Amino acid sequence: MATSSIYTFPTYRQQGQALANALNYPCYDISTHHFPDKESLVTLPEAKSDHIIFYLSLDYPNNKLIELLLACKTARKQGCKRLSLVAPYLSYMRQDKSFNSGEAISQKIIGQWLSELVDDIITVDPHLHRIESLDTVIPNTNNQTLTASFNLGEFVKTLKKPVHLLGPDEESLQWVKQVAEISGSSYSVATKQRYSDTEVNIQLPKHVGQDYRNQHIILIDDVISTGHTVAQTATQLYTAGAKQVDVLVTHALFTKGAMETLLSANIKNIWSSDSISHKTNHISLTNLLAETIKKII
Ligand code: R5P
Protein backbone atom coordinates (compact mmCIF):
# COMPACT_ATOMS: atom_id res chain seq x y z
CA MET A 1 0.00 0.00 0.00
CA ALA A 2 1.21 3.49 -0.83
CA THR A 3 2.14 5.53 2.23
CA SER A 4 0.28 8.75 1.42
CA SER A 5 -2.41 9.40 -1.16
CA ILE A 6 -4.58 12.32 -2.15
CA TYR A 7 -8.33 11.62 -2.28
CA THR A 8 -10.40 14.19 -4.13
CA PHE A 9 -14.10 14.96 -3.91
CA PRO A 10 -15.85 15.84 -7.20
CA THR A 11 -15.89 19.62 -6.66
CA TYR A 12 -12.12 19.86 -6.15
CA ARG A 13 -10.71 17.23 -8.52
CA GLN A 14 -8.56 19.71 -10.42
CA GLN A 15 -6.82 21.24 -7.40
CA GLY A 16 -6.47 17.83 -5.71
CA GLN A 17 -4.89 16.29 -8.79
CA ALA A 18 -2.51 19.28 -9.12
CA LEU A 19 -1.45 18.80 -5.49
CA ALA A 20 -0.90 15.06 -6.04
CA ASN A 21 1.24 15.83 -9.12
CA ALA A 22 3.32 18.37 -7.17
CA LEU A 23 3.94 15.82 -4.41
CA ASN A 24 4.23 12.83 -6.73
CA TYR A 25 1.53 11.08 -4.70
CA PRO A 26 -1.15 8.82 -6.13
CA CYS A 27 -4.53 10.49 -6.49
CA TYR A 28 -7.89 8.73 -6.16
CA ASP A 29 -11.42 9.94 -6.75
CA ILE A 30 -14.15 9.77 -4.14
CA SER A 31 -17.50 9.49 -5.85
CA THR A 32 -20.68 11.04 -4.53
CA HIS A 33 -24.28 10.47 -5.45
CA HIS A 34 -27.17 12.64 -4.35
CA PHE A 35 -30.51 10.95 -3.84
CA PRO A 36 -33.67 12.84 -4.84
CA ASP A 37 -34.03 14.22 -1.31
CA LYS A 38 -30.33 15.32 -1.43
CA GLU A 39 -28.99 12.67 0.93
CA SER A 40 -25.40 11.86 -0.03
CA LEU A 41 -23.94 8.49 -0.89
CA VAL A 42 -20.14 8.62 -0.65
CA THR A 43 -17.93 5.88 -2.12
CA LEU A 44 -14.20 5.58 -1.44
CA PRO A 45 -11.86 3.41 -3.50
CA GLU A 46 -10.69 0.13 -1.91
CA ALA A 47 -8.07 0.81 0.80
CA LYS A 48 -5.10 2.35 -1.01
CA SER A 49 -3.06 4.00 1.66
CA ASP A 50 -2.15 4.23 5.34
CA HIS A 51 -2.40 7.99 5.12
CA ILE A 52 -5.18 9.70 3.21
CA ILE A 53 -5.08 13.40 2.43
CA PHE A 54 -8.58 14.60 1.59
CA TYR A 55 -8.68 17.67 -0.66
CA LEU A 56 -11.93 19.49 -0.02
CA SER A 57 -12.29 23.24 0.24
CA LEU A 58 -15.29 23.94 2.46
CA ASP A 59 -17.20 26.66 0.62
CA TYR A 60 -20.96 26.01 0.56
CA PRO A 61 -20.16 23.67 3.41
CA ASN A 62 -23.23 21.88 4.71
CA ASN A 63 -23.29 18.99 2.24
CA LYS A 64 -19.52 18.84 2.12
CA LEU A 65 -19.24 18.47 5.89
CA ILE A 66 -21.60 15.50 5.87
CA GLU A 67 -19.71 13.94 2.96
CA LEU A 68 -16.41 14.51 4.75
CA LEU A 69 -17.81 12.80 7.86
CA LEU A 70 -18.91 9.79 5.80
CA ALA A 71 -15.53 9.62 4.02
CA CYS A 72 -13.48 9.88 7.24
CA LYS A 73 -15.47 7.21 9.07
CA THR A 74 -15.21 4.90 6.04
CA ALA A 75 -11.47 5.44 5.69
CA ARG A 76 -10.93 4.63 9.38
CA LYS A 77 -13.04 1.50 8.95
CA GLN A 78 -10.79 0.51 6.03
CA GLY A 79 -7.86 0.69 8.45
CA CYS A 80 -6.38 4.05 7.49
CA LYS A 81 -4.05 5.25 10.25
CA ARG A 82 -3.75 8.97 9.48
CA LEU A 83 -6.27 11.34 7.93
CA SER A 84 -5.39 14.83 6.78
CA LEU A 85 -7.72 17.47 5.41
CA VAL A 86 -6.58 20.09 2.92
CA ALA A 87 -9.33 22.70 3.07
CA PRO A 88 -7.88 25.92 1.65
CA TYR A 89 -11.16 27.63 2.58
CA LEU A 90 -12.38 26.68 6.03
CA SER A 91 -16.00 27.61 6.62
CA TYR A 92 -17.87 28.30 9.86
CA MET A 93 -14.94 30.32 11.20
CA ARG A 94 -16.80 33.66 11.30
CA GLN A 95 -19.27 32.99 14.14
CA ASP A 96 -16.80 33.07 17.02
CA LYS A 97 -19.18 34.28 19.73
CA SER A 98 -22.87 34.58 20.51
CA PHE A 99 -23.81 38.03 19.27
CA ASN A 100 -27.42 37.44 20.35
CA SER A 101 -28.75 35.21 23.08
CA GLY A 102 -29.08 31.59 21.98
CA GLU A 103 -26.84 31.81 18.92
CA ALA A 104 -24.67 28.74 18.36
CA ILE A 105 -20.94 29.48 18.35
CA SER A 106 -20.39 27.61 15.09
CA GLN A 107 -16.63 28.16 15.00
CA LYS A 108 -16.11 26.14 18.19
CA ILE A 109 -18.71 23.48 17.43
CA ILE A 110 -17.52 22.77 13.89
CA GLY A 111 -13.87 23.08 14.99
CA GLN A 112 -14.33 20.47 17.73
CA TRP A 113 -16.15 18.17 15.32
CA LEU A 114 -13.37 18.43 12.69
CA SER A 115 -10.78 17.70 15.36
CA GLU A 116 -12.52 14.41 16.08
CA LEU A 117 -12.46 13.44 12.39
CA VAL A 118 -8.93 14.14 11.15
CA ASP A 119 -5.35 14.28 12.42
CA ASP A 120 -4.10 17.23 10.35
CA ILE A 121 -5.82 20.28 8.88
CA ILE A 122 -4.12 22.46 6.30
CA THR A 123 -5.91 25.68 5.53
CA VAL A 124 -5.26 29.15 4.14
CA ASP A 125 -6.07 32.48 5.80
CA PRO A 126 -8.95 31.30 7.96
CA HIS A 127 -11.27 34.03 9.20
CA LEU A 128 -9.97 34.22 12.79
CA HIS A 129 -10.54 37.75 13.88
CA ARG A 130 -10.89 37.58 17.61
CA ILE A 131 -8.99 34.28 17.95
CA GLU A 132 -5.19 34.08 17.95
CA SER A 133 -4.74 30.56 16.67
CA LEU A 134 -6.66 27.76 14.99
CA ASP A 135 -5.45 25.48 17.81
CA THR A 136 -7.94 27.06 20.19
CA VAL A 137 -10.75 26.33 17.73
CA ILE A 138 -9.65 22.89 16.48
CA PRO A 139 -7.99 21.26 19.50
CA ASN A 140 -5.63 18.25 19.48
CA THR A 141 -5.13 18.41 15.72
CA ASN A 142 -2.01 19.29 13.79
CA ASN A 143 -3.26 22.58 12.33
CA GLN A 144 -1.27 24.24 9.57
CA THR A 145 -2.51 27.77 9.01
CA LEU A 146 -1.03 29.19 5.82
CA THR A 147 -1.35 32.56 4.19
CA ALA A 148 -1.79 33.31 0.49
CA SER A 149 -0.21 36.77 0.95
CA PHE A 150 3.07 35.74 -0.66
CA ASN A 151 1.24 34.36 -3.69
CA LEU A 152 -0.90 37.50 -3.96
CA GLY A 153 2.17 39.74 -3.60
CA GLU A 154 4.03 37.86 -6.32
CA PHE A 155 0.96 38.23 -8.55
CA VAL A 156 0.90 42.02 -8.01
CA LYS A 157 4.58 42.11 -9.04
CA THR A 158 3.72 40.50 -12.38
CA LEU A 159 1.47 43.46 -13.24
CA LYS A 160 4.60 45.63 -13.47
CA LYS A 161 2.61 48.80 -12.76
CA PRO A 162 2.64 51.21 -9.85
CA VAL A 163 -0.50 50.43 -7.85
CA HIS A 164 -1.85 51.41 -4.44
CA LEU A 165 -3.24 48.55 -2.36
CA LEU A 166 -6.28 49.21 -0.21
CA GLY A 167 -7.89 46.97 2.40
CA PRO A 168 -11.62 47.65 2.84
CA ASP A 169 -11.65 47.21 6.63
CA GLU A 170 -9.37 47.04 9.65
CA GLU A 171 -9.30 43.25 9.56
CA SER A 172 -7.74 43.26 6.11
CA LEU A 173 -4.65 45.10 7.40
CA GLN A 174 -2.79 41.81 8.05
CA TRP A 175 -3.09 40.78 4.39
CA VAL A 176 -2.78 44.11 2.64
CA LYS A 177 0.39 44.95 4.60
CA GLN A 178 2.07 41.66 3.64
CA VAL A 179 1.02 41.87 0.00
CA ALA A 180 2.35 45.44 -0.12
CA GLU A 181 5.69 44.43 1.40
CA ILE A 182 6.15 41.57 -1.06
CA SER A 183 5.13 43.59 -4.12
CA GLY A 184 6.79 46.85 -3.04
CA SER A 185 3.48 48.76 -3.23
CA SER A 186 2.02 51.47 -1.03
CA TYR A 187 -1.04 50.56 1.05
CA SER A 188 -3.77 51.85 3.29
CA VAL A 189 -6.85 50.49 5.02
CA ALA A 190 -10.43 51.78 5.15
CA THR A 191 -12.93 51.32 7.99
CA LYS A 192 -16.20 49.43 7.73
CA GLN A 193 -19.42 49.19 9.65
CA ARG A 194 -21.61 46.22 8.80
CA TYR A 195 -25.37 46.55 9.32
CA SER A 196 -26.54 43.32 7.69
CA ASP A 197 -25.32 40.64 5.27
CA THR A 198 -25.65 43.06 2.37
CA GLU A 199 -25.39 46.50 4.02
CA VAL A 200 -22.02 47.98 4.84
CA ASN A 201 -20.68 51.48 5.20
CA ILE A 202 -17.08 52.10 4.16
CA GLN A 203 -15.00 55.12 5.08
CA LEU A 204 -11.86 55.64 3.03
CA PRO A 205 -8.70 56.41 5.00
CA LYS A 206 -8.11 60.11 5.32
CA HIS A 207 -4.35 60.12 5.85
CA VAL A 208 -2.67 63.41 5.15
CA GLY A 209 -1.53 63.29 1.57
CA GLN A 210 -3.82 60.41 0.59
CA ASP A 211 -5.08 61.42 -2.81
CA TYR A 212 -6.86 58.92 -5.05
CA ARG A 213 -6.95 61.08 -8.17
CA ASN A 214 -5.68 59.16 -11.20
CA GLN A 215 -4.54 56.30 -9.02
CA HIS A 216 -4.74 52.64 -9.92
CA ILE A 217 -6.03 50.91 -6.79
CA ILE A 218 -6.18 47.20 -6.05
CA LEU A 219 -8.55 46.20 -3.27
CA ILE A 220 -7.23 43.30 -1.21
CA ASP A 221 -9.48 41.13 0.96
CA ASP A 222 -9.57 37.60 2.33
CA VAL A 223 -13.13 36.81 1.26
CA ILE A 224 -15.65 38.16 -1.22
CA SER A 225 -19.09 36.88 -0.30
CA THR A 226 -21.93 39.18 -1.42
CA GLY A 227 -19.41 41.62 -2.91
CA HIS A 228 -20.89 44.67 -1.16
CA THR A 229 -17.72 45.42 0.83
CA VAL A 230 -15.48 45.81 -2.21
CA ALA A 231 -18.22 47.28 -4.43
CA GLN A 232 -18.92 50.09 -2.01
CA THR A 233 -15.21 50.75 -1.54
CA ALA A 234 -14.72 50.92 -5.31
CA THR A 235 -17.64 53.33 -5.74
CA GLN A 236 -16.12 55.69 -3.17
CA LEU A 237 -12.68 55.44 -4.77
CA TYR A 238 -14.08 56.40 -8.19
CA THR A 239 -15.94 59.30 -6.59
CA ALA A 240 -12.60 60.37 -5.09
CA GLY A 241 -11.07 60.36 -8.59
CA ALA A 242 -9.43 56.93 -8.90
CA LYS A 243 -8.54 55.95 -12.46
CA GLN A 244 -8.98 52.17 -12.08
CA VAL A 245 -10.08 49.83 -9.30
CA ASP A 246 -9.29 46.09 -9.39
CA VAL A 247 -9.86 43.38 -6.79
CA LEU A 248 -7.47 40.70 -5.57
CA VAL A 249 -8.93 38.20 -3.13
CA THR A 250 -7.92 34.92 -1.53
CA HIS A 251 -11.30 33.21 -1.15
CA ALA A 252 -13.68 33.82 -4.05
CA LEU A 253 -16.88 32.75 -2.35
CA PHE A 254 -19.00 34.94 -4.64
CA THR A 255 -22.51 34.16 -3.46
CA LYS A 256 -25.42 34.70 -5.86
CA GLY A 257 -25.33 38.16 -7.46
CA ALA A 258 -21.83 39.06 -6.18
CA MET A 259 -20.25 39.21 -9.62
CA GLU A 260 -22.96 41.59 -10.86
CA THR A 261 -22.48 43.74 -7.75
CA LEU A 262 -18.76 44.08 -8.50
CA LEU A 263 -19.29 44.78 -12.18
CA SER A 264 -21.94 47.42 -11.48
CA ALA A 265 -19.37 49.18 -9.26
CA ASN A 266 -17.11 49.38 -12.33
CA ILE A 267 -14.42 47.11 -10.91
CA LYS A 268 -12.22 46.28 -13.84
CA ASN A 269 -10.19 43.16 -13.04
CA ILE A 270 -11.10 40.53 -10.45
CA TRP A 271 -8.38 38.05 -9.53
CA SER A 272 -8.54 35.29 -6.95
CA SER A 273 -6.56 32.35 -5.67
CA ASP A 274 -7.86 28.86 -6.45
CA SER A 275 -8.72 28.18 -2.78
CA ILE A 276 -12.32 28.16 -4.02
CA SER A 277 -13.00 27.18 -7.62
CA HIS A 278 -14.26 30.26 -9.48
CA LYS A 279 -13.90 31.79 -12.92
CA THR A 280 -11.76 34.59 -11.44
CA ASN A 281 -9.04 32.12 -10.29
CA HIS A 282 -5.60 33.35 -11.39
CA ILE A 283 -3.31 32.29 -8.56
CA SER A 284 -2.54 28.66 -7.80
CA LEU A 285 -1.97 27.64 -4.18
CA THR A 286 -0.64 24.20 -5.15
CA ASN A 287 3.01 24.86 -4.31
CA LEU A 288 2.18 26.53 -1.00
CA LEU A 289 0.12 23.49 0.04
CA ALA A 290 2.63 20.97 -1.31
CA GLU A 291 5.55 22.54 0.58
CA THR A 292 3.58 22.36 3.82
CA ILE A 293 2.57 18.74 3.31
CA LYS A 294 6.21 17.80 2.61
CA LYS A 295 7.19 19.35 5.97
CA ILE A 296 4.59 17.54 8.07
CA ILE A 297 4.68 14.07 6.48
C1 R5P B 1 -15.02 40.47 6.59
O1 R5P B 1 -14.50 40.76 7.62
C2 R5P B 1 -14.26 39.88 5.45
O2 R5P B 1 -12.89 40.15 5.53
C3 R5P B 1 -14.81 40.34 4.12
O3 R5P B 1 -14.61 41.74 4.01
C4 R5P B 1 -16.28 40.03 4.03
O4 R5P B 1 -16.52 38.66 4.29
C5 R5P B 1 -16.81 40.38 2.67
O5 R5P B 1 -18.18 40.14 2.64
P1 R5P B 1 -19.08 40.74 1.50
O6 R5P B 1 -18.45 40.39 0.18
O7 R5P B 1 -20.42 40.03 1.69
O8 R5P B 1 -19.23 42.20 1.72
Side-chain angles (χ1 to χ4, degrees):
M1 268 204 306
T3 318
S4 300
S5 305
I6 306 281
Y7 278 32
T8 64
F9 287 78
T11 42
Y12 279 93
R13 293 260 193 267
Q14 201 184 325
Q15 287 94 324
Q17 182 66 60
L19 182 61
N21 293 348
L23 290 162
N24 209 13
Y25 285 177
C27 185
Y28 301 100
D29 293 348
I30 294 173
S31 70
T32 56
H33 171 74
H34 298 127
F35 292 106
D37 66 350
K38 304 290 181 227
E39 263 187 27
S40 297
L41 173 66
V42 170
T43 310
L44 271 65
E46 290 299 309
K48 300 284 188 195
S49 183
D50 290 336
H51 174 208
I52 292 176
I53 303 169
F54 292 115
Y55 194 112
L56 185 62
S57 212
L58 291 171
D59 52 306
Y60 296 93
N62 293 357
N63 256 8
K64 289 180 180 169
L65 288 170
I66 293 295
E67 290 174 3
L68 180 68
L69 167 74
L70 297 173
C72 288
K73 295 281 182 189
T74 308
R76 295 278 192 210
K77 195 162 171 250
Q78 288 179 339
C80 184
K81 304 222 170 11
R82 181 174 177 185
L83 296 180
S84 307
L85 171 66
V86 176
Y89 178 70
L90 197 55
S91 49
Y92 281 108
M93 290 296 114
R94 286 186 270 195
Q95 183 80 16
D96 58 9
K97 64 176 196 178
S98 277
F99 296 92
N100 298 296
S101 161
E103 278 179 1
I105 305 175
S106 344
Q107 187 193 61
K108 273 202 179 309
I109 297 167
I110 298 293
Q112 177 67 38
W113 185 73
L114 286 172
S115 82
E116 289 157 18
L117 287 185
V118 295
D119 304 292
D120 315 272
I121 293 186
I122 298 138
T123 190
V124 179
D125 292 320
H127 204 88
L128 299 177
H129 286 155
R130 282 167 284 261
I131 307 287
E132 279 286 303
S133 152
L134 204 55
D135 295 342
T136 57
V137 177
I138 310 181
N140 308 316
T141 302
N142 172 25
N143 297 309
Q144 299 290 320
T145 307
L146 316 181
T147 178
S149 294
F150 177 79
N151 305 63
L152 301 190
E154 287 296 314
F155 176 78
V156 171
K157 272 198 214 166
T158 66
L159 301 175
K160 296 191 183 345
K161 284 183 194 162
V163 291
H164 179 76
L165 308 181
L166 184 78
D169 53 32
E170 297 91 331
E171 288 156 346
S172 63
L173 173 66
Q174 54 191 305
W175 300 292
V176 74
K177 185 169 182 281
Q178 284 180 314
V179 177
E181 278 165 9
I182 291 155
S183 61
S185 313
S186 58
Y187 72 94
S188 54
V189 170
T191 49
K192 174 170 89 179
Q193 286 87 40
R194 181 175 283 285
Y195 303 113
S196 72
D197 285 348
T198 54
E199 287 168 302
V200 291
N201 180 33
I202 304 286
Q203 286 175 304
L204 294 181
K206 299 239 182 325
H207 301 309
V208 178
Q210 184 70 69
D211 184 356
Y212 298 104
R213 273 174 296 174
N214 291 321
Q215 284 210 39
H216 180 178
I217 316 278
I218 302 182
L219 299 178
I220 308 277
D221 211 352
D222 61 334
V223 186
I224 289 181
S225 178
T226 67
H228 286 279
T229 296
V230 290
Q232 203 191 114
T233 313
T235 301
Q236 294 201 26
L237 285 166
Y238 282 123
T239 305
K243 178 173 64 178
Q244 180 174 329
V245 181
D246 298 326
V247 166
L248 180 57
V249 63
T250 302
H251 304 300
L253 205 47
F254 281 87
T255 55
K256 198 162 180 279
M259 202 65 187
E260 291 72 20
T261 301
L262 265 64
L263 295 176
S264 67
N266 231 351
I267 290 170
K268 191 158 174 229
N269 296 296
I270 305 163
W271 303 293
S272 62
S273 88
D274 63 356
S275 77
I276 295 176
S277 298
H278 191 257
K279 61 185 173 187
T280 57
N281 290 170
H282 268 75
I283 298 152
S284 164
L285 298 180
T286 301
N287 289 344
L288 175 71
L289 298 167
E291 288 312 313
T292 304
I293 291 171
K294 277 186 211 159
K295 278 186 215 147
I296 64 166
I297 299 312

